[in-house]
Amino acid sequence: MKCNICPRACNVDRNVDKGFCGMTNDIYAARAALHMWEEPCISGEHGSGAVFFSGCTLRCIFCQNSEIAAAQVGKKITVERLCDIFLELQDKCANNINLVTATHFVPQVAEALVKAKNKGLVIPVVYNSSAYENVSTLNMLDGLVDVYLPDMKYIDSRLSAEYSKAPDYADVAKAAIHEMVRQTRKPEFFIEDDELVKSGRVEAGIMKKGVIVRHLILPGTTKDSKAVIKYLIDTYGDDIYISIMSQYTPFDRLKKHPLLSRKVTRKEYNSVVDYAIDCGINNGFIQEGDVAEESFIPEFDYEGI
């Protein structure tokens, strides 16, 4: 069967070859562990049960997880093993199952989620995505995913073409986020009276349903960042949360790039946050202090796989 799961539509038979994502139909993952560095309502104090999948449908030259995105690391697992990983993370008191860059494995992930729910998976499922998604693929997750955590990287197609090899990124991401909001509706959070909180499965304050759209500010691109923020607020208002991120880390491979060779300045970051406030943002997350550090990038050492 030819693969058109993602917007690349590479039409490759992934039973015998690799798609644009760098993956065959075999599931590869590099880490499954409690992750403390997501938004507070995702990680909480116990951590989010993050499963990092190998491969990616984008080609971001600034990728913060390039080793895994380029499919340079990863261990082959079955659908049955993935199901067990979900349940093991729940047993470790994860607040949720966090599927990180799973686009190219959605059919297998959906199958594993169904198996896991039949075996007692009750914590929320978070789909952590670039938003470079086909709506038809997201439909496979309807009713299985509780929280969507997509990026909205760009509005400017020139930036998305140069930085991610995806000139159609904005149009694709807009449609994908619309579908994510349709599936999950308005944000909901666990409260003290919820059964999962009283049973100790989930912390109060963790997101139960909804969409958090992340935007990573890049050096020298505040104009586009403001366009992203305006689009999201104008389109969704309080129906989503927006996470404005400053953690871009310039790696040595980009030291000759005219813009991407430096961190985002505090002035750049504050100008975007101030703009969001001027636009009337109510539901948002911001980052304080210097978070552009490689220490925030997990070790892809096959823990939990």
Side-chain angles (χ1 to χ4, degrees), residues 127 129-136 138 147-155 169-185 210-215 228-229 231-233 235-237 239-242:
Y127 188 75
S129 159
S130 70
Y132 197 61
E133 307 273 359
N134 283 338
V135 170
S136 58
L138 294 173
V147 176
Y148 281 99
L149 191 59
D151 296 329
M152 182 75 185
K153 295 179 182 291
Y154 322 93
I155 291 291
Y169 175 85
D171 289 340
V172 169
K174 287 177 181 179
I177 292 170
H178 184 270
E179 172 62 17
M180 294 172 185
V181 175
R182 184 198 70 78
Q183 288 185 21
T184 60
R185 308 298 179 183
V211 175
I212 302 173
V213 181
R214 290 171 160 173
H215 176 66
V228 169
I229 298 300
Y231 169 77
L232 292 171
I233 293 174
T235 306
Y236 297 107
D239 289 346
I240 64 169
Y241 275 71
I242 302 173

Side-chain angles (χ1 to χ4, degrees), residues 62-64 248-255 260 294 297:
F62 57 84
C63 181
Q64 309 290 278
Y248 169 75
T249 302
F251 295 103
D252 287 344
R253 68 179 185 273
L254 293 170
K255 60 186 176 183
L260 299 180
E294 292 186 41
I297 301 169

